[in-house]
PDB file of all heavy atoms in Angstrom:
ATOM      1  N   GLN X   2      27.720  -7.506  11.485  1.00 96.00           N
ATOM      2  CA  GLN X   2      27.472  -6.221  10.846  1.00 96.00           C
ATOM      3  C   GLN X   2      26.718  -6.387   9.542  1.00 96.00           C
ATOM      4  O   GLN X   2      25.796  -5.613   9.232  1.00 96.00           O
ATOM      5  CB  GLN X   2      28.786  -5.484  10.608  1.00 96.00           C
ATOM      6  CG  GLN X   2      29.389  -4.907  11.868  1.00 96.00           C
ATOM      7  CD  GLN X   2      30.725  -4.218  11.597  1.00 96.00           C
ATOM      8  OE1 GLN X   2      31.264  -4.305  10.488  1.00 96.00           O
ATOM      9  NE2 GLN X   2      31.245  -3.555  12.589  1.00 96.00           N
ATOM     10  N   LEU X   3      27.083  -7.385   8.753  1.00 96.00           N
ATOM     11  CA  LEU X   3      26.406  -7.642   7.493  1.00 96.00           C
ATOM     12  C   LEU X   3      24.938  -8.002   7.749  1.00 96.00           C
ATOM     13  O   LEU X   3      24.040  -7.521   7.060  1.00 96.00           O
ATOM     14  CB  LEU X   3      27.066  -8.752   6.694  1.00 96.00           C
ATOM     15  CG  LEU X   3      28.350  -8.375   5.984  1.00 96.00           C
ATOM     16  CD1 LEU X   3      28.920  -9.595   5.266  1.00 96.00           C
ATOM     17  CD2 LEU X   3      28.094  -7.278   4.985  1.00 96.00           C
ATOM     18  N   GLU X   4      24.694  -8.858   8.745  1.00 96.00           N
ATOM     19  CA  GLU X   4      23.317  -9.237   9.052  1.00 96.00           C
ATOM     20  C   GLU X   4      22.514  -8.027   9.554  1.00 96.00           C
ATOM     21  O   GLU X   4      21.340  -7.864   9.210  1.00 96.00           O
ATOM     22  CB  GLU X   4      23.323 -10.346  10.126  1.00 96.00           C
ATOM     23  CG  GLU X   4      23.790 -11.684   9.595  1.00 96.00           C
ATOM     24  CD  GLU X   4      23.950 -12.729  10.688  1.00 96.00           C
ATOM     25  OE1 GLU X   4      23.789 -12.379  11.896  1.00 96.00           O
ATOM     26  OE2 GLU X   4      24.224 -13.879  10.352  1.00 96.00           O
ATOM     27  N   GLN X   5      23.174  -7.162  10.336  1.00 95.00           N
ATOM     28  CA  GLN X   5      22.501  -5.979  10.851  1.00 95.00           C
ATOM     29  C   GLN X   5      22.141  -5.036   9.716  1.00 95.00           C
ATOM     30  O   GLN X   5      21.035  -4.495   9.653  1.00 95.00           O
ATOM     31  CB  GLN X   5      23.448  -5.279  11.861  1.00 95.00           C
ATOM     32  CG  GLN X   5      22.773  -4.349  12.807  1.00 95.00           C
ATOM     33  CD  GLN X   5      23.780  -3.835  13.847  1.00 95.00           C
ATOM     34  OE1 GLN X   5      24.949  -3.597  13.538  1.00 95.00           O
ATOM     35  NE2 GLN X   5      23.329  -3.700  15.088  1.00 95.00           N
ATOM     36  N   GLU X   6      23.085  -4.809   8.788  1.00 95.00           N
ATOM     37  CA  GLU X   6      22.800  -3.965   7.637  1.00 95.00           C
ATOM     38  C   GLU X   6      21.710  -4.536   6.747  1.00 95.00           C
ATOM     39  O   GLU X   6      20.861  -3.830   6.239  1.00 95.00           O
ATOM     40  CB  GLU X   6      24.063  -3.727   6.813  1.00 95.00           C
ATOM     41  CG  GLU X   6      25.085  -2.832   7.482  1.00 95.00           C
ATOM     42  CD  GLU X   6      24.572  -1.428   7.713  1.00 95.00           C
ATOM     43  OE1 GLU X   6      23.863  -0.899   6.829  1.00 95.00           O
ATOM     44  OE2 GLU X   6      24.864  -0.841   8.758  1.00 95.00           O
ATOM     45  N   ALA X   7      21.743  -5.855   6.547  1.00 93.00           N
ATOM     46  CA  ALA X   7      20.719  -6.515   5.747  1.00 93.00           C
ATOM     47  C   ALA X   7      19.346  -6.343   6.382  1.00 93.00           C
ATOM     48  O   ALA X   7      18.355  -6.075   5.702  1.00 93.00           O
ATOM     49  CB  ALA X   7      21.042  -7.970   5.540  1.00 93.00           C
ATOM     50  N   GLU X   8      19.278  -6.469   7.688  1.00 93.00           N
ATOM     51  CA  GLU X   8      18.004  -6.300   8.408  1.00 93.00           C
ATOM     52  C   GLU X   8      17.512  -4.858   8.305  1.00 93.00           C
ATOM     53  O   GLU X   8      16.333  -4.611   8.082  1.00 93.00           O
ATOM     54  CB  GLU X   8      18.171  -6.714   9.868  1.00 93.00           C
ATOM     55  CG  GLU X   8      16.870  -6.714  10.644  1.00 93.00           C
ATOM     56  CD  GLU X   8      15.871  -7.733  10.138  1.00 93.00           C
ATOM     57  OE1 GLU X   8      16.276  -8.790   9.615  1.00 93.00           O
ATOM     58  OE2 GLU X   8      14.661  -7.446  10.263  1.00 93.00           O
ATOM     59  N   THR X   9      18.437  -3.907   8.409  1.00 92.00           N
ATOM     60  CA  THR X   9      18.081  -2.489   8.292  1.00 92.00           C
ATOM     61  C   THR X   9      17.539  -2.194   6.898  1.00 92.00           C
ATOM     62  O   THR X   9      16.491  -1.529   6.734  1.00 92.00           O
ATOM     63  CB  THR X   9      19.286  -1.602   8.584  1.00 92.00           C
ATOM     64  OG1 THR X   9      19.767  -1.894   9.890  1.00 92.00           O
ATOM     65  CG2 THR X   9      18.942  -0.134   8.489  1.00 92.00           C
ATOM     66  N   LEU X  10      18.240  -2.703   5.863  1.00 91.00           N
ATOM     67  CA  LEU X  10      17.761  -2.482   4.497  1.00 91.00           C
ATOM     68  C   LEU X  10      16.393  -3.149   4.284  1.00 91.00           C
ATOM     69  O   LEU X  10      15.546  -2.598   3.611  1.00 91.00           O
ATOM     70  CB  LEU X  10      18.779  -3.049   3.511  1.00 91.00           C
ATOM     71  CG  LEU X  10      20.068  -2.237   3.354  1.00 91.00           C
ATOM     72  CD1 LEU X  10      21.063  -2.968   2.460  1.00 91.00           C
ATOM     73  CD2 LEU X  10      19.773  -0.867   2.804  1.00 91.00           C
ATOM     74  N   LYS X  11      16.228  -4.313   4.847  1.00 91.00           N
ATOM     75  CA  LYS X  11      14.945  -5.020   4.689  1.00 91.00           C
ATOM     76  C   LYS X  11      13.812  -4.214   5.330  1.00 91.00           C
ATOM     77  O   LYS X  11      12.739  -4.079   4.770  1.00 91.00           O
ATOM     78  CB  LYS X  11      15.041  -6.399   5.328  1.00 91.00           C
ATOM     79  CG  LYS X  11      13.824  -7.242   5.135  1.00 91.00           C
ATOM     80  CD  LYS X  11      14.008  -8.610   5.761  1.00 91.00           C
ATOM     81  CE  LYS X  11      12.749  -9.444   5.622  1.00 91.00           C
ATOM     82  NZ  LYS X  11      12.896 -10.754   6.247  1.00 91.00           N
ATOM     83  N   ARG X  12      14.073  -3.665   6.523  1.00 90.00           N
ATOM     84  CA  ARG X  12      13.071  -2.853   7.197  1.00 90.00           C
ATOM     85  C   ARG X  12      12.761  -1.595   6.395  1.00 90.00           C
ATOM     86  O   ARG X  12      11.601  -1.209   6.263  1.00 90.00           O
ATOM     87  CB  ARG X  12      13.538  -2.454   8.605  1.00 90.00           C
ATOM     88  CG  ARG X  12      13.172  -3.492   9.644  1.00 90.00           C
ATOM     89  CD  ARG X  12      13.389  -2.976  11.036  1.00 90.00           C
ATOM     90  NE  ARG X  12      14.530  -3.697  11.578  1.00 90.00           N
ATOM     91  CZ  ARG X  12      15.603  -3.172  12.108  1.00 90.00           C
ATOM     92  NH1 ARG X  12      15.717  -1.866  12.233  1.00 90.00           N
ATOM     93  NH2 ARG X  12      16.606  -3.917  12.549  1.00 90.00           N
ATOM     94  N   ASN X  13      13.796  -0.951   5.826  1.00 89.00           N
ATOM     95  CA  ASN X  13      13.591   0.247   5.015  1.00 89.00           C
ATOM     96  C   ASN X  13      12.751  -0.070   3.779  1.00 89.00           C
ATOM     97  O   ASN X  13      11.866   0.692   3.415  1.00 89.00           O
ATOM     98  CB  ASN X  13      14.908   0.867   4.608  1.00 89.00           C
ATOM     99  CG  ASN X  13      15.589   1.566   5.767  1.00 89.00           C
ATOM    100  OD1 ASN X  13      14.990   1.844   6.787  1.00 89.00           O
ATOM    101  ND2 ASN X  13      16.892   1.817   5.614  1.00 89.00           N
ATOM    102  N   VAL X  14      13.034  -1.179   3.135  1.00 87.00           N
ATOM    103  CA  VAL X  14      12.264  -1.568   1.946  1.00 87.00           C
ATOM    104  C   VAL X  14      10.818  -1.877   2.342  1.00 87.00           C
ATOM    105  O   VAL X  14       9.891  -1.498   1.660  1.00 87.00           O
ATOM    106  CB  VAL X  14      12.945  -2.775   1.230  1.00 87.00           C
ATOM    107  CG1 VAL X  14      12.008  -3.374   0.199  1.00 87.00           C
ATOM    108  CG2 VAL X  14      14.253  -2.335   0.615  1.00 87.00           C
ATOM    109  N   ASP X  15      10.654  -2.572   3.454  1.00 84.00           N
ATOM    110  CA  ASP X  15       9.283  -2.879   3.915  1.00 84.00           C
ATOM    111  C   ASP X  15       8.513  -1.615   4.216  1.00 84.00           C
ATOM    112  O   ASP X  15       7.361  -1.478   3.872  1.00 84.00           O
ATOM    113  CB  ASP X  15       9.308  -3.762   5.153  1.00 84.00           C
ATOM    114  CG  ASP X  15       9.710  -5.214   4.832  1.00 84.00           C
ATOM    115  OD1 ASP X  15       9.660  -5.583   3.645  1.00 84.00           O
ATOM    116  OD2 ASP X  15      10.066  -5.943   5.772  1.00 84.00           O
ATOM    117  N   LEU X  16       9.174  -0.631   4.860  1.00 80.00           N
ATOM    118  CA  LEU X  16       8.510   0.617   5.180  1.00 80.00           C
ATOM    119  C   LEU X  16       8.130   1.367   3.901  1.00 80.00           C
ATOM    120  O   LEU X  16       7.047   1.931   3.788  1.00 80.00           O
ATOM    121  CB  LEU X  16       9.398   1.492   6.061  1.00 80.00           C
ATOM    122  CG  LEU X  16       9.567   1.046   7.498  1.00 80.00           C
ATOM    123  CD1 LEU X  16      10.535   1.953   8.223  1.00 80.00           C
ATOM    124  CD2 LEU X  16       8.247   1.048   8.223  1.00 80.00           C
ATOM    125  N   ARG X  17       9.041   1.376   2.919  1.00 81.00           N
ATOM    126  CA  ARG X  17       8.750   2.074   1.670  1.00 81.00           C
ATOM    127  C   ARG X  17       7.605   1.429   0.921  1.00 81.00           C
ATOM    128  O   ARG X  17       6.774   2.084   0.338  1.00 81.00           O
ATOM    129  CB  ARG X  17      10.003   2.134   0.787  1.00 81.00           C
ATOM    130  CG  ARG X  17      11.004   3.091   1.303  1.00 81.00           C
ATOM    131  CD  ARG X  17      12.201   3.179   0.365  1.00 81.00           C
ATOM    132  NE  ARG X  17      13.218   3.989   0.973  1.00 81.00           N
ATOM    133  CZ  ARG X  17      14.489   3.953   0.668  1.00 81.00           C
ATOM    134  NH1 ARG X  17      14.892   3.110  -0.267  1.00 81.00           N
ATOM    135  NH2 ARG X  17      15.347   4.728   1.248  1.00 81.00           N
ATOM    136  N   THR X  18       7.556   0.098   0.923  1.00 82.00           N
ATOM    137  CA  THR X  18       6.459  -0.544   0.222  1.00 82.00           C
ATOM    138  C   THR X  18       5.123  -0.305   0.916  1.00 82.00           C
ATOM    139  O   THR X  18       4.114  -0.171   0.271  1.00 82.00           O
ATOM    140  CB  THR X  18       6.705  -2.061   0.086  1.00 82.00           C
ATOM    141  OG1 THR X  18       6.898  -2.638   1.366  1.00 82.00           O
ATOM    142  CG2 THR X  18       7.924  -2.346  -0.805  1.00 82.00           C
ATOM    143  N   HIS X  19       5.161  -0.225   2.258  1.00 77.00           N
ATOM    144  CA  HIS X  19       3.920   0.079   2.960  1.00 77.00           C
ATOM    145  C   HIS X  19       3.478   1.514   2.757  1.00 77.00           C
ATOM    146  O   HIS X  19       2.288   1.789   2.719  1.00 77.00           O
ATOM    147  CB  HIS X  19       4.066  -0.218   4.454  1.00 77.00           C
ATOM    148  CG  HIS X  19       4.167  -1.691   4.762  1.00 77.00           C
ATOM    149  ND1 HIS X  19       3.173  -2.573   4.455  1.00 77.00           N
ATOM    150  CD2 HIS X  19       5.152  -2.420   5.362  1.00 77.00           C
ATOM    151  CE1 HIS X  19       3.537  -3.799   4.830  1.00 77.00           C
ATOM    152  NE2 HIS X  19       4.746  -3.703   5.384  1.00 77.00           N
ATOM    153  N   GLU X  20       4.464   2.412   2.626  1.00 73.00           N
ATOM    154  CA  GLU X  20       4.098   3.841   2.411  1.00 73.00           C
ATOM    155  C   GLU X  20       3.543   4.060   1.013  1.00 73.00           C
ATOM    156  O   GLU X  20       2.634   4.859   0.831  1.00 73.00           O
ATOM    157  CB  GLU X  20       5.342   4.715   2.626  1.00 73.00           C
ATOM    158  CG  GLU X  20       5.769   4.855   4.063  1.00 73.00           C
ATOM    159  CD  GLU X  20       7.053   5.631   4.199  1.00 73.00           C
ATOM    160  OE1 GLU X  20       7.632   6.048   3.162  1.00 73.00           O
ATOM    161  OE2 GLU X  20       7.491   5.821   5.331  1.00 73.00           O
ATOM    162  N   THR X  21       4.094   3.391   0.004  1.00 72.00           N
ATOM    163  CA  THR X  21       3.682   3.633  -1.356  1.00 72.00           C
ATOM    164  C   THR X  21       2.541   2.763  -1.821  1.00 72.00           C
ATOM    165  O   THR X  21       1.922   3.050  -2.837  1.00 72.00           O
ATOM    166  CB  THR X  21       4.866   3.402  -2.342  1.00 72.00           C
ATOM    167  OG1 THR X  21       5.316   2.051  -2.172  1.00 72.00           O
ATOM    168  CG2 THR X  21       5.981   4.376  -2.071  1.00 72.00           C
ATOM    169  N   SER X  22       2.225   1.702  -1.081  1.00 63.00           N
ATOM    170  CA  SER X  22       1.115   0.866  -1.519  1.00 63.00           C
ATOM    171  C   SER X  22      -0.209   1.588  -1.268  1.00 63.00           C
ATOM    172  O   SER X  22      -0.384   2.220  -0.233  1.00 63.00           O
ATOM    173  CB  SER X  22       1.137  -0.475  -0.765  1.00 63.00           C
ATOM    174  OG  SER X  22       0.930  -0.280   0.607  1.00 63.00           O
ATOM    175  N   PRO X  23      -1.100   1.492  -2.222  1.00 62.00           N
ATOM    176  CA  PRO X  23      -2.383   2.176  -2.037  1.00 62.00           C
ATOM    177  C   PRO X  23      -3.196   1.523  -0.948  1.00 62.00           C
ATOM    178  O   PRO X  23      -3.109   0.319  -0.710  1.00 62.00           O
ATOM    179  CB  PRO X  23      -3.061   2.042  -3.400  1.00 62.00           C
ATOM    180  CG  PRO X  23      -2.411   0.826  -4.018  1.00 62.00           C
ATOM    181  CD  PRO X  23      -1.018   0.794  -3.461  1.00 62.00           C
ATOM    182  N   ALA X  24      -3.995   2.321  -0.298  1.00 58.00           N
ATOM    183  CA  ALA X  24      -4.890   1.785   0.727  1.00 58.00           C
ATOM    184  C   ALA X  24      -5.921   0.890   0.074  1.00 58.00           C
ATOM    185  O   ALA X  24      -6.344   1.153  -1.055  1.00 58.00           O
ATOM    186  CB  ALA X  24      -5.547   2.940   1.489  1.00 58.00           C
ATOM    187  N   PRO X  25      -6.329  -0.152   0.738  1.00 60.00           N
ATOM    188  CA  PRO X  25      -7.337  -1.019   0.150  1.00 60.00           C
ATOM    189  C   PRO X  25      -8.618  -0.227  -0.111  1.00 60.00           C
ATOM    190  O   PRO X  25      -9.157   0.435   0.776  1.00 60.00           O
ATOM    191  CB  PRO X  25      -7.564  -2.114   1.181  1.00 60.00           C
ATOM    192  CG  PRO X  25      -6.763  -1.765   2.362  1.00 60.00           C
ATOM    193  CD  PRO X  25      -5.912  -0.583   2.036  1.00 60.00           C
ATOM    194  N   ALA X  26      -9.058  -0.292  -1.345  1.00 60.00           N
ATOM    195  CA  ALA X  26     -10.273   0.443  -1.727  1.00 60.00           C
ATOM    196  C   ALA X  26     -11.510  -0.313  -1.269  1.00 60.00           C
ATOM    197  O   ALA X  26     -11.535  -1.549  -1.273  1.00 60.00           O
ATOM    198  CB  ALA X  26     -10.301   0.631  -3.239  1.00 60.00           C
ATOM    199  N   ALA X  27     -12.514   0.455  -0.925  1.00 60.00           N
ATOM    200  CA  ALA X  27     -13.786  -0.171  -0.537  1.00 60.00           C
ATOM    201  C   ALA X  27     -14.439  -0.726  -1.809  1.00 60.00           C
ATOM    202  O   ALA X  27     -14.328  -0.138  -2.897  1.00 60.00           O
ATOM    203  CB  ALA X  27     -14.707   0.881   0.105  1.00 60.00           C
ATOM    204  N   PRO X  28     -15.080  -1.862  -1.697  1.00 61.00           N
ATOM    205  CA  PRO X  28     -15.710  -2.437  -2.890  1.00 61.00           C
ATOM    206  C   PRO X  28     -16.783  -1.512  -3.412  1.00 61.00           C
ATOM    207  O   PRO X  28     -17.573  -0.962  -2.648  1.00 61.00           O
ATOM    208  CB  PRO X  28     -16.303  -3.757  -2.416  1.00 61.00           C
ATOM    209  CG  PRO X  28     -16.309  -3.676  -0.930  1.00 61.00           C
ATOM    210  CD  PRO X  28     -15.269  -2.680  -0.523  1.00 61.00           C
ATOM    211  N   ALA X  29     -16.758  -1.297  -4.713  1.00 61.00           N
ATOM    212  CA  ALA X  29     -17.718  -0.398  -5.324  1.00 61.00           C
ATOM    213  C   ALA X  29     -19.101  -1.039  -5.387  1.00 61.00           C
ATOM    214  O   ALA X  29     -19.240  -2.241  -5.657  1.00 61.00           O
ATOM    215  CB  ALA X  29     -17.244  -0.027  -6.730  1.00 61.00           C
ATOM    216  N   ALA X  30     -20.093  -0.252  -5.118  1.00 59.00           N
ATOM    217  CA  ALA X  30     -21.465  -0.744  -5.195  1.00 59.00           C
ATOM    218  C   ALA X  30     -21.832  -0.878  -6.669  1.00 59.00           C
ATOM    219  O   ALA X  30     -21.427  -0.065  -7.498  1.00 59.00           O
ATOM    220  CB  ALA X  30     -22.407   0.207  -4.482  1.00 59.00           C
ATOM    221  N   PRO X  31     -22.582  -1.905  -7.014  1.00 61.00           N
ATOM    222  CA  PRO X  31     -22.971  -2.043  -8.417  1.00 61.00           C
ATOM    223  C   PRO X  31     -23.810  -0.844  -8.852  1.00 61.00           C
ATOM    224  O   PRO X  31     -24.707  -0.386  -8.136  1.00 61.00           O
ATOM    225  CB  PRO X  31     -23.791  -3.337  -8.454  1.00 61.00           C
ATOM    226  CG  PRO X  31     -24.099  -3.676  -7.049  1.00 61.00           C
ATOM    227  CD  PRO X  31     -23.126  -2.942  -6.184  1.00 61.00           C
ATOM    228  N   ALA X  32     -23.462  -0.356 -10.025  1.00 61.00           N
ATOM    229  CA  ALA X  32     -24.155   0.861 -10.524  1.00 61.00           C
ATOM    230  C   ALA X  32     -25.501   0.456 -11.094  1.00 61.00           C
ATOM    231  O   ALA X  32     -25.651  -0.502 -11.837  1.00 61.00           O
ATOM    232  CB  ALA X  32     -23.324   1.520 -11.597  1.00 61.00           C
ATOM    233  N   ALA X  33     -26.504   1.207 -10.686  1.00 59.00           N
ATOM    234  CA  ALA X  33     -27.862   0.981 -11.206  1.00 59.00           C
ATOM    235  C   ALA X  33     -27.983   1.691 -12.537  1.00 59.00           C
ATOM    236  O   ALA X  33     -27.399   2.749 -12.742  1.00 59.00           O
ATOM    237  CB  ALA X  33     -28.897   1.510 -10.222  1.00 59.00           C
ATOM    238  N   PRO X  34     -28.728   1.144 -13.491  1.00 60.00           N
ATOM    239  CA  PRO X  34     -28.901   1.819 -14.767  1.00 60.00           C
ATOM    240  C   PRO X  34     -29.593   3.148 -14.544  1.00 60.00           C
ATOM    241  O   PRO X  34     -30.535   3.259 -13.793  1.00 60.00           O
ATOM    242  CB  PRO X  34     -29.726   0.878 -15.609  1.00 60.00           C
ATOM    243  CG  PRO X  34     -30.259  -0.154 -14.686  1.00 60.00           C
ATOM    244  CD  PRO X  34     -29.424  -0.113 -13.430  1.00 60.00           C
ATOM    245  N   ALA X  35     -29.066   4.170 -15.218  1.00 60.00           N
ATOM    246  CA  ALA X  35     -29.626   5.524 -15.057  1.00 60.00           C
ATOM    247  C   ALA X  35     -30.937   5.634 -15.810  1.00 60.00           C
ATOM    248  O   ALA X  35     -31.015   5.265 -16.986  1.00 60.00           O
ATOM    249  CB  ALA X  35     -28.634   6.560 -15.546  1.00 60.00           C
ATOM    250  N   ALA X  36     -31.918   6.145 -15.135  1.00 57.00           N
ATOM    251  CA  ALA X  36     -33.217   6.370 -15.773  1.00 57.00           C
ATOM    252  C   ALA X  36     -33.249   7.792 -16.332  1.00 57.00           C
ATOM    253  O   ALA X  36     -32.616   8.692 -15.775  1.00 57.00           O
ATOM    254  CB  ALA X  36     -34.328   6.191 -14.749  1.00 57.00           C
ATOM    255  N   PRO X  37     -33.899   7.992 -17.445  1.00 57.00           N
ATOM    256  CA  PRO X  37     -33.976   9.329 -17.991  1.00 57.00           C
ATOM    257  C   PRO X  37     -34.683  10.274 -17.024  1.00 57.00           C
ATOM    258  O   PRO X  37     -35.636   9.903 -16.366  1.00 57.00           O
ATOM    259  CB  PRO X  37     -34.740   9.180 -19.296  1.00 57.00           C
ATOM    260  CG  PRO X  37     -35.305   7.803 -19.309  1.00 57.00           C
ATOM    261  CD  PRO X  37     -34.613   7.018 -18.267  1.00 57.00           C
ATOM    262  N   ALA X  38     -34.179  11.476 -16.949  1.00 55.00           N
ATOM    263  CA  ALA X  38     -34.754  12.471 -16.024  1.00 55.00           C
ATOM    264  C   ALA X  38     -36.110  12.930 -16.556  1.00 55.00           C
ATOM    265  O   ALA X  38     -36.245  13.187 -17.757  1.00 55.00           O
ATOM    266  CB  ALA X  38     -33.812  13.656 -15.880  1.00 55.00           C
ATOM    267  N   THR X  39     -37.048  13.036 -15.654  1.00 55.00           N
ATOM    268  CA  THR X  39     -38.376  13.476 -16.064  1.00 55.00           C
ATOM    269  C   THR X  39     -38.527  14.975 -15.984  1.00 55.00           C
ATOM    270  O   THR X  39     -39.220  15.573 -16.762  1.00 55.00           O
ATOM    271  CB  THR X  39     -39.438  12.773 -15.208  1.00 55.00           C
ATOM    272  OG1 THR X  39     -39.170  13.051 -13.845  1.00 55.00           O
ATOM    273  CG2 THR X  39     -39.442  11.285 -15.469  1.00 55.00           C
ATOM    274  N   HIS X  40     -37.860  15.597 -14.999  1.00 52.00           N
ATOM    275  CA  HIS X  40     -37.913  17.033 -14.903  1.00 52.00           C
ATOM    276  C   HIS X  40     -36.594  17.528 -14.369  1.00 52.00           C
ATOM    277  O   HIS X  40     -35.815  16.793 -13.786  1.00 52.00           O
ATOM    278  CB  HIS X  40     -39.096  17.522 -14.041  1.00 52.00           C
ATOM    279  CG  HIS X  40     -39.181  16.865 -12.698  1.00 52.00           C
ATOM    280  ND1 HIS X  40     -38.451  17.264 -11.635  1.00 52.00           N
ATOM    281  CD2 HIS X  40     -39.918  15.801 -12.300  1.00 52.00           C
ATOM    282  CE1 HIS X  40     -38.759  16.495 -10.607  1.00 52.00           C
ATOM    283  NE2 HIS X  40     -39.622  15.585 -10.981  1.00 52.00           N
TER     284      HIS X  40
END
């Protein structure tokens, strides 16, 4: 019973960490220097 409860708690903690962890962000493209607007 103790092993079963420990496994259940471990699964719950794993699920919570997967739910709250942010999704992997896509790598940002390097920003090009902004040129002054001509018009």
Side-chain angles (χ1 to χ4, degrees):
Q2 286 178 352
L3 283 178
E4 289 173 354
Q5 200 174 38
E6 288 297 322
E8 186 64 30
T9 302
L10 287 174
K11 184 178 178 181
R12 273 191 250 127
N13 286 344
V14 168
D15 287 344
L16 288 176
R17 287 183 187 158
T18 56
H19 289 300
E20 288 175 359
T21 58
S22 64
T39 56
H40 51 83

